[in-house]
Amino acid sequence: MPTDALPREPAPAPAHGRADLNAEPGGPVGADPVNRRRMRLKLLGILAVCAAPVVASYLAYYVVKPDGRSNYGELIEPQRPVANLAVVGAAGSPGGMERFRGKWVLLTTAEQACDAACAQRLYVMRQVRLTTGRDRDRIERVLLITDGSTPSAALLAEHEGLQLLRADPSALAAVLPPPEAAAGPPTYVIDPLGNLMMRFPAQADANRMKKDIAKLLRASRIG
């Protein structure tokens, strides 16, 4: 009989459902080492993006600087964590600065019922926040009282949304950098992770201060 008259064997069916001989016992089909490495790299990439926005903002703002650009605010190095600083609210409720996690904070301190210099710092903080436009909700303002005094009701009425807190002077001194010589309390910046990272002079120039804050907000992807 001619060979071309013999019935041909059917082509082998696709190996649907066949176990992958290269797969590890108990592992999913197709979970080869190359794919696993790719998945790990993707996960690491996602973690890096989520964990590093504040660091990236500092690098963009303080390290990668175009020629001729300078910062008005003084960068605090190393950063000082303040999230665990014990504070007491206006109603006497205890807590910590961690309540502001996720927000940028402009903070200044005062004693003796907030004198004229203190009132000026509050004014600058308020105006700088307002100039950020729709980003103003990313910023909290805090007045930290270090004695038993209380600012006047008239002064507080001028600063709606200001957080009035109290802290023990010795506990506060442990987390704040050494004060500037006889210049009065500065205005501090706390990042969304609860780190004290910058300060402005006691009699800060509002225009220069708002430029620094605006750059930080633009560079940061959290808070």
Side-chain angles (χ1 to χ4, degrees):
M1 178 183 295
T3 55
D4 54 1
L6 293 175
R8 297 182 179 178
E9 293 183 1
H16 294 302
R18 287 188 182 179
D20 186 347
L21 297 180
N22 293 323
E24 293 183 358
V29 173
D32 59 83
V34 174
N35 284 334
R36 287 199 300 274
R37 282 195 295 272
R38 287 175 180 170
M39 290 300 298
R40 281 198 295 266
L41 289 174
K42 287 181 180 178
L43 289 174
L44 289 174
I46 292 172
L47 290 174
V49 168
C50 295
V54 172
V55 175
S57 71
Y58 296 159
L59 290 174
Y61 185 44
Y62 294 107
V63 179
V64 187
K65 299 179 183 179
D67 292 340
R69 190 178 90 181
S70 60
N71 310 314
Y72 178 55
E74 176 191 355
L75 186 64
I76 297 173
E77 297 179 315
Q79 297 173 16
R80 294 168 177 253
V82 297
N84 294 326
L85 174 66
V87 295
V88 177
S93 56
M97 291 293 291
E98 75 272 1
R99 69 184 70 187
F100 300 112
R101 188 174 292 274
K103 296 280 190 177
W104 290 92
V105 178
L106 297 177
L107 177 147
T108 193
T109 61
E111 56 186 15
Q112 299 177 359
C114 190
D115 58 14
C118 167
Q120 177 62 21
R121 293 195 301 278
L122 295 183
Y123 171 78
V124 170
M125 287 165 55
R126 184 189 70 192
Q127 296 307 108
V128 166
R129 176 180 177 271
L130 289 175
T131 61
T132 62
R134 63 183 181 182
D135 283 332
R136 63 182 178 271
D137 290 337
R138 300 169 64 187
I139 302 173
E140 293 283 356
R141 293 162 295 138
V142 174
L143 174 61
L144 207 53
I145 303 294
T146 57
D147 61 12
S149 63
T150 300
S152 69
L155 176 62
L156 294 178
E158 296 176 4
H159 299 280
E160 182 179 358
L162 176 70
Q163 301 289 324
L164 180 63
L165 302 174
R166 300 182 186 277
D168 179 75
S170 59
L172 188 60
V175 298
L176 295 183
E180 299 167 316
T187 297
Y188 296 98
V189 178
I190 301 173
D191 71 24
L193 299 180
N195 297 311
L196 197 71
M197 50 78 61
M198 190 192 315
R199 68 179 174 185
F200 296 99
Q203 299 176 353
D205 182 314
N207 287 324
R208 297 177 68 185
M209 181 175 168
K210 75 179 182 181
K211 290 178 182 178
D212 276 10
I213 297 299
K215 291 171 186 174
L216 274 177
L217 292 175
R218 282 198 303 269
S220 173
R221 287 174 289 175
I222 64 171

